[in-house]
Amino acid sequence: MTDAAAAGETDAGRTAKLELDSVVKRFGQRTVLDHVDLSVAESEVICLIGASGSGKSTLLRCCNLLEPIDDGAIYLDGVDISEPGLSTDPIRRRIGMVFQNYNLFPHMNVLRNVTIGPMKVLGQSTAVAQVAAHELLAVFGLADKARAYPDQLSGGQQQRVAIVRALAMKPELMLLDEITAALDPELVGEVLDVIRGLKQERMTMVLATHEMSFAREISDRVAFLDQGVVCEIGSPQQIFNDPVEPRTRQFLQRVIDAGRL
Amino acid sequence: MTTPLTRRQRYEQRTKRRSFAIAAASTIVVLAAVVVLLPMTSGWQKVRHSFFDGSILRFSLGHMLGPFWYDVQIFLWCAPCILLGGLSLAFARNVRSPALFPLRLFSTIYTDVFRGVPMVLWITLIGFGVPGLLQSRNLGRAVIWGSVALIAAYSAYVGEVFRAGIESVHESQRAAARSLGMTSTQTMRHVILPQAIRRVVPPLMNDLVSLQKDVALISILGPVEVLRQAGIDKAKFFNFTPYVAAAVLFLCVSVPLTRTTDHLLQRERRRTGATAVR
């Protein structure tokens, strides 16, 4: 998967899984995304890196239609999902999203957190949804936590439940917004292992992350965002070893100086 | 086998004993002052005779149980209606659809008007006004329109409590629910509302305690509930003790209710994790 190939497909018939075409997002006077182009192929893993405030989270939230975009278009399987007035619910159920602060439902136990989506949105019966949920929880080492409430779990466990909750909807792609940023360092590993597992299952994923070595390991491509612009995009080897843009170099130098790479 | 106490434990034991002794001593002093000093005031004999007549008190407590049960009944049918009305008002104020704008406007004005006028006035206005308007004997029962007035006014207060609860649930919960593909109605029903209601239980209980007492205001419309019965008995005995008996009956209900509220508040505080700071 090279940029050239991805860029080439953009113009011809939009065969990418997810595609952002010149997306603009403003909050008041501030332009948070400034004509962003990005194309994510089926089964591709793309990491978004960049300083806080560079627009990584906003980009993910726009893809899930949690934020309406001001200009440009977003395509899912070639269909424009950013059309104003389009019903957002059927689109969102195809996209899984995991948040930095887990956002589990605190008044429901783990099992209910995982089954509520399939039951209420996909119309599955309780029995069917629970069997599937137990299977998924077992895969992610949470089998004994089904009856626990979120506040009885560690941060790492909560985040794994949040990932399971998204997976229970059988999403076509996953958006992961700095999912390890709120975790204690010793808990980061267990969550990253889950993502490694998803990559093996060939899940299409877009991650915003500060974990540079993880980004280097798992990405098919890495996109560096700076001030709402995709400043540079390429293979992890190219971005981390041989960045072209001066701003990318500066950013990576700061990361190295902080001992994070 | 006893392990020797740590320095901290010895200190806490000493402090605890001392606070207990001080609390006991001060309570005894205050009680003694009341018992000794009160009978020394010049009007005490008269007051005791007209407010605390033992035999009238005993008679009244038994005699007014019936009328007081009437108050409790009024409370019991008003409370669910108020909770429902309040919830509807909270929803109405949260609607975003332009077609429903009149509903939002109405609920806003309604809340302002019903919270802005004293309860006694609403009971008088609705209790005497509506039956006069309808000119119907069947629908003219005072207790019905008194209840309607209570429900109408209390719904406005309770609606604000619910609204505050709904708004206190963090936006990220909505984002999580919507990202699963839930509709806004499903999000409200399964994610926002259950959390909101848990949070507002203590303030709701507060309003219910208050309602339980305000039921007595219906007496101005004529039904013989406990306050009116006390008035009748007062005239019969030329003695105010029936009012004291009524007060005792109200306390029998409102004190347990208040204690439950405190207990719920404390549990909520424990659950949200903050420890008391000395």
Side-chain angles (χ1 to χ4, degrees), chain B residues 1-264:
Chain B
M1 199 183 88
T2 53
T3 48
L5 294 178
T6 64
R7 197 156 56 125
R8 179 85 222 168
Q9 284 168 327
R10 263 182 285 131
Y11 170 77
E12 294 206 333
Q13 208 173 50
R14 219 167 42 232
T15 334
K16 214 162 134 189
R17 271 191 213 132
R18 209 166 137 248
S19 343
F20 182 77
I22 292 173
S26 80
T27 310
I28 289 168
V29 168
V30 170
L31 272 181
V34 171
V35 171
V36 173
L37 293 179
L38 201 59
M40 287 162 73
T41 53
S42 58
W44 169 243
Q45 284 308 325
K46 270 186 196 153
V47 168
R48 194 178 73 164
H49 173 71
S50 46
F51 283 87
F52 301 100
D53 187 309
S55 62
I56 296 180
L57 186 67
R58 240 164 305 162
F59 169 80
S60 295
L61 281 177
H63 186 226
M64 292 199 308
L65 266 180
F68 183 67
W69 174 235
Y70 197 28
D71 284 74
V72 175
Q73 280 177 307
I74 296 170
F75 169 78
L76 287 178
W77 71 60
C78 283
C81 296
I82 287 166
L83 293 177
L84 227 81
L87 203 54
S88 315
L89 276 174
F91 282 146
R93 289 196 73 168
N94 268 330
V95 294
R96 290 282 165 269
S97 153
L100 296 177
F101 178 75
L103 190 65
R104 203 169 133 199
L105 187 71
F106 165 77
S107 62
T108 310
I109 295 172
Y110 180 95
T111 308
D112 286 350
V113 169
F114 273 90
R115 288 200 308 172
V117 175
M119 188 66 73
V120 190
L121 262 178
W122 279 126
I123 290 180
T124 317
L125 287 174
I126 296 179
F128 289 128
V130 179
L133 201 66
L134 293 176
Q135 294 291 335
S136 153
R137 205 169 280 278
N138 291 332
L139 284 168
R141 285 193 55 197
V143 67
I144 294 176
W145 294 110
S147 302
V148 168
L150 278 175
I151 291 166
Y154 264 90
S155 293
Y157 290 95
V158 168
E160 287 300 281
V161 171
F162 276 124
R163 195 164 72 100
I166 289 169
E167 279 171 10
S168 78
V169 178
H170 198 263
E171 199 56 33
S172 62
Q173 286 287 310
R174 207 179 301 265
R178 297 309 298 275
S179 78
L180 286 175
M182 286 170 131
T183 63
S184 54
T185 313
Q186 286 174 326
T187 302
M188 179 56 86
R189 155 110 174 64
H190 299 292
V191 175
I192 308 294
L193 207 53
Q195 295 185 59
I197 288 177
R198 269 179 188 74
R199 283 181 205 186
V200 298
V201 164
L204 278 182
M205 292 292 286
N206 219 352
D207 281 347
L208 289 184
V209 170
S210 169
L211 167 69
Q212 192 260 330
K213 297 172 296 171
D214 280 353
V215 166
L217 291 173
I218 290 185
S219 69
I220 57 179
L221 300 178
V224 183
E225 49 69 69
V226 74
L227 189 58
R228 180 143 291 243
Q229 184 65 53
I232 293 167
D233 289 357
K234 176 206 69 178
K236 196 158 72 186
F237 296 118
F238 288 111
N239 193 294
F240 287 109
T241 308
Y243 284 128
V244 176
V248 170
L249 288 173
F250 275 110
L251 284 174
C252 287
V253 175
S254 59
V255 169
L257 265 177
T258 317
R259 283 289 87 82
T260 315
T261 310
D262 286 354
H263 173 72
L264 289 173

Side-chain angles (χ1 to χ4, degrees), chain A residues 94-110:
Chain A
R94 297 167 59 193
I95 305 175
M97 179 133 189
V98 185
F99 303 86
Q100 179 174 342
N101 294 313
Y102 334 132
N103 298 4
L104 292 176
F105 306 130
H107 58 298
M108 301 178 189
N109 66 21
V110 166

Side-chain angles (χ1 to χ4, degrees), chain A:
Chain A
M1 191 67 49
T2 65
D3 334 36
E9 284 165 3
T10 317
D11 299 326
R14 305 194 188 283
T15 55
K17 184 74 202 168
L18 179 75
E19 190 182 329
L20 281 73
D21 182 14
S22 196
V23 167
V24 176
K25 174 69 191 172
R26 297 189 196 89
F27 288 122
Q29 293 293 308
R30 210 158 56 86
T31 303
V32 186
L33 296 178
D34 192 0
H35 298 281
V36 168
D37 294 309
L38 186 71
S39 156
V40 185
E42 184 89 47
S43 298
E44 191 180 24
V45 177
I46 292 190
C47 278
L48 309 175
I49 61 170
S52 299
S54 57
K56 306 188 294 290
S57 289
T58 307
L59 193 155
L60 293 180
R61 291 175 69 87
C62 287
C63 291
N64 203 17
L65 309 182
L66 287 174
E67 303 282 357
I69 60 174
D70 293 306
D71 201 3
I74 300 173
Y75 300 90
L76 182 65
D77 282 335
V79 177
D80 187 353
I81 58 169
S82 56
E83 177 74 30
L86 205 65
S87 171
T88 54
D89 301 322
I91 298 159
R92 288 205 190 103
R93 78 181 61 155
R94 297 167 59 193
I95 305 175
M97 179 133 189
V98 185
F99 303 86
Q100 179 174 342
N101 294 313
Y102 334 132
N103 298 4
L104 292 176
F105 306 130
H107 58 298
M108 301 178 189
N109 66 21
V110 166
L111 188 64
R112 183 80 180 141
N113 260 285
V114 176
T115 53
I116 184 136
M119 283 167 63
K120 300 299 171 193
V121 178
L122 303 180
Q124 290 180 7
S125 71
T126 313
V128 170
Q130 287 194 350
V131 168
H134 279 300
E135 270 173 26
L136 269 177
L137 288 170
V139 170
F140 295 101
L142 294 160
D144 55 332
K145 301 294 181 197
R147 301 283 160 197
Y149 280 82
D151 59 2
Q152 298 166 327
L153 302 177
S154 74
Q157 289 167 337
Q158 288 189 54
Q159 193 59 294
R160 274 147 61 204
V161 172
I163 295 171
V164 170
R165 178 175 69 179
L167 288 175
M169 294 293 292
K170 302 216 183 308
E172 297 165 31
L173 83 151
M174 293 277 279
L175 307 171
L176 307 152
D177 187 6
E178 306 207 14
I179 56 168
T180 58
L183 294 176
D184 290 337
E186 80 274 16
L187 302 178
V188 170
E190 61 186 77
V191 172
L192 295 187
D193 277 342
V194 171
I195 307 304
R196 290 188 185 99
L198 289 182
K199 183 179 165 76
Q200 267 180 358
E201 308 262 309
R202 302 189 52 74
M203 174 65 78
T204 313
M205 289 187 280
V206 186
L207 302 87
T209 185
H210 285 297
E211 303 284 340
M212 294 304 159
S213 48
F214 180 68
R216 172 187 257 173
E217 167 202 327
I218 199 148
S219 305
D220 295 310
R221 284 188 300 155
V222 174
F224 170 66
L225 265 73
D226 187 56
Q227 294 177 351
V229 176
V230 177
C231 187
E232 186 167 1
I233 183 164
S235 71
Q237 292 78 20
Q238 186 257 307
I239 295 285
F240 287 108
N241 300 339
D242 189 20
V244 178
E245 294 287 329
R247 281 186 288 174
T248 315
R249 279 197 201 133
Q250 272 172 16
F251 173 74
L252 289 171
Q253 191 56 50
R254 282 204 302 277
V255 172
I256 290 165
D257 290 344
R260 298 300 289 265
L261 185 65

